[in-house]
Amino acid sequence: MEAVLYVSHGSRVPRARQEAAAFVEKCKSSIDVPIQELCFLELVKPDIITGIDICVQKGATRIIVLPLLLLSAGHAKHDIPEALRQAKQRHPHVEIVCGKPFGVHETMIDIVIARIHEQGVPLDGKSMILLIGRGSSDPDTKRDIEKIANRLQSKTDVPCVDVCFLAAIRPTLEEGLDKARRSSYKNIFVVPYLLFTGVLMKTIERKLHSFQSLHQQWILCHYLGYHPFLQQLVKKNIETLLRAAKGA
């Protein structure tokens, strides 16, 4: 019997956990798999190993593990594989197939554009976009965010898409905001490249409040969130993993 185990990041903020759970419930309704469970990387239970246990207890013999993560960094490269290695030792008869984070995907670019357009402010030649990543010591994180920024600029035709990061990588959030403030752009769209609300979103709001300028309009866009486009991408990814597993 097949199962899908969705792996969310986890957060101390209750609303973030609720958003993840609500998103998974929406995904379940469009995916024809009898067992579907949600687990978390950290801060929230159940963890990955417990999530695997629950799927097995419900009769799963093949488990598709899908990380609900934006980019490949430490969690995707190390934490998830290690948890699955331990789970495999507990359940050697169960086939475990792990997917990848969403990564640099056209759907993610479309979600960013949708978040900008919903602000109702024209995105024109006097506008710039400041894309704010979470940040990681993994160099792939900066590379991927820069790729996303390049695709975003190509699809929107704005003259400038800059990036900055909340942790571990430069330019920092403060450096990114300061550069934007010193620019000649009139409308500055600040886009948090985050999947859920939480402490980091509050940090952006607080910093942005101190960077207001008389000659510029700062537009803080909604974080990516669990947009309907993302639900479609999840469905596609799961179906691809299931086909690959069955064909193996």
Side-chain angles (χ1 to χ4, degrees):
M1 189 182 298
E2 290 170 333
V4 175
L5 181 64
Y6 303 88
V7 183
S8 181
H9 187 279
S11 172
R12 294 184 180 88
V13 178
R15 184 179 163 194
R17 302 195 295 268
Q18 293 160 6
E19 287 175 356
F23 176 70
V24 166
E25 286 303 313
K26 290 178 181 177
C27 290
K28 286 181 181 181
S29 63
S30 63
I31 295 167
D32 186 22
V33 174
I35 303 167
Q36 299 185 58
E37 298 292 332
L38 171 64
C39 67
F40 298 88
L41 273 164
E42 58 187 13
L43 304 173
V44 188
K45 295 181 179 180
D47 60 17
I48 295 173
I49 296 175
T50 304
I52 295 286
D53 289 344
I54 292 169
C55 290
V56 173
Q57 289 163 10
K58 291 187 175 183
T61 55
R62 176 188 289 143
I63 303 172
I64 302 298
V65 178
L66 189 72
L68 301 178
L69 302 175
L70 292 173
L71 302 171
S72 292
H75 286 314
K77 294 180 179 179
H78 307 294
D79 299 340
I80 294 176
E82 174 57 23
L84 296 183
R85 184 191 66 79
Q86 295 179 39
K88 187 66 177 176
Q89 289 180 336
R90 293 158 70 107
H91 307 288
H93 63 290
V94 176
E95 180 184 358
I96 300 175
V97 180
C98 188
K100 298 178 180 179
F102 301 120
V104 184
H105 194 285
E106 210 64 24
T107 295
M108 306 311 296
I109 312 301
D110 291 340
I111 293 173
V112 172
I113 293 171
R115 291 307 189 201
I116 291 171
H117 284 165
E118 69 189 13
Q119 297 302 313
V121 179
L123 191 61
D124 54 24
K126 297 179 180 179
S127 304
M128 70 164 285
I129 299 169
L130 180 62
L131 193 65
I132 304 174
R134 174 184 291 271
S136 167
S137 56
D138 189 312
D140 287 349
T141 297
K142 185 171 185 178
R143 180 204 64 193
D144 288 347
I145 285 287
E146 288 174 345
K147 284 183 179 179
I148 290 166
N150 289 337
R151 287 295 302 128
L152 183 59
Q153 185 166 12
S154 175
K155 292 192 79 168
T156 58
D157 286 329
V158 294
C160 177
V161 178
D162 260 354
V163 301
C164 63
F165 300 90
L166 289 157
I169 313 176
R170 297 187 69 178
T172 65
L173 172 61
E174 189 162 312
E175 288 169 341
L177 291 171
D178 187 55
K179 182 180 177 182
R181 182 173 58 182
R182 288 185 285 104
S183 75
S184 60
Y185 296 107
K186 300 301 182 183
N187 295 325
I188 301 172
F189 292 86
V190 179
V191 183
Y193 201 78
L194 303 172
L195 198 52
F196 50 82
T197 189
V199 175
L200 296 180
M201 191 64 197
K202 295 295 183 185
T203 299
I204 294 171
E205 291 170 353
R206 187 172 62 252
K207 282 285 186 182
L208 188 58
H209 182 72
S210 67
F211 269 83
Q212 296 301 322
S213 169
L214 292 176
H215 71 282
Q216 293 170 316
Q217 182 179 11
W218 295 74
I219 304 104
L220 177 59
C221 300
H222 196 281
Y223 53 93
L224 301 187
Y226 297 100
H227 194 278
F229 291 168
L230 195 63
Q231 186 178 339
Q232 297 167 18
L233 181 57
V234 165
K235 178 179 171 63
K236 180 180 177 181
N237 288 350
I238 290 173
E239 289 174 345
T240 300
L241 291 166
L242 284 170
R243 283 196 301 270
K246 290 174 181 177

